[in-house]
Amino acid sequence: MKNNILYIVLYFVMMAVHYFIWNQLGLGFESLFIRYYIFLTLLFVMVITVMNIFRMIYPDYLGFVFLGLVMVKLMLIMIVTNKLKISEVPNYEYHFILPYLISLTLVTFYSVNLIKKD
């Protein structure tokens, strides 16, 4: 349970730091930022929840579940970024791809810890 809280806290620290930088740069597009992070947070929580469920049911297949969830997450993020028209934000590569990669890194570390426990 401690590991879950650690990864969730790290995720929200990343979000707060990014929001602070966003405001300091004065980019605008706050509603786009908030909608993107709501979606990214839902994906983050979904992956952690599904990994925990599959850990109880099929602990031997956690690696495959992780790979499948990463593919689903990448597919969904591509669809949402096109729908939100993120490319209109200046330097959108840094503001939207980096948070995705950081959340993916957190999920990867979380998954590795789950696999090591089994």
Side-chain angles (χ1 to χ4, degrees):
M1 187 67 174
K2 284 180 150 180
N3 286 339
N4 294 358
I5 295 171
L6 173 68
Y7 289 107
I8 292 170
V9 166
L10 285 174
Y11 176 82
F12 283 109
V13 166
M14 181 241 347
M15 189 171 84
V17 168
H18 187 209
Y19 188 72
F20 176 75
I21 292 170
W22 186 278
N23 281 334
Q24 291 300 317
L25 293 174
L27 295 174
F29 300 99
E30 280 83 11
S31 65
L32 178 67
F33 180 87
I34 292 170
R35 287 186 291 173
Y36 179 75
Y37 263 104
I38 287 172
F39 181 73
L40 197 61
T41 304
L42 288 175
L43 283 178
F44 183 75
V45 171
M46 177 203 65
V47 170
I48 288 178
T49 304
V50 170
M51 288 295 290
N52 278 322
I53 291 170
F54 271 90
R55 180 175 177 232
M56 290 183 269
I57 300 171
Y58 301 112
D60 295 336
Y61 299 106
L62 281 178
F64 295 115
V65 171
F66 171 73
L67 289 175
L69 288 172
V70 167
M71 287 190 323
V72 168
K73 185 178 175 181
L74 183 61
M75 179 185 62
L76 290 174
I77 204 75
M78 294 303 288
I79 292 170
V80 167
T81 54
N82 289 334
K83 293 275 186 192
L84 290 177
K85 298 179 182 172
I86 287 176
S87 59
E88 295 175 1
V89 177
N91 296 323
Y92 72 94
E93 299 93 1
Y94 303 116
H95 293 291
F96 295 107
I97 295 173
L98 282 177
Y100 173 78
L101 292 176
I102 292 170
S103 72
L104 181 64
T105 303
L106 289 173
V107 166
T108 302
F109 287 144
Y110 179 77
S111 301
V112 167
N113 284 335
L114 279 183
I115 292 170
K116 279 185 180 179
K117 286 181 184 178
D118 294 331

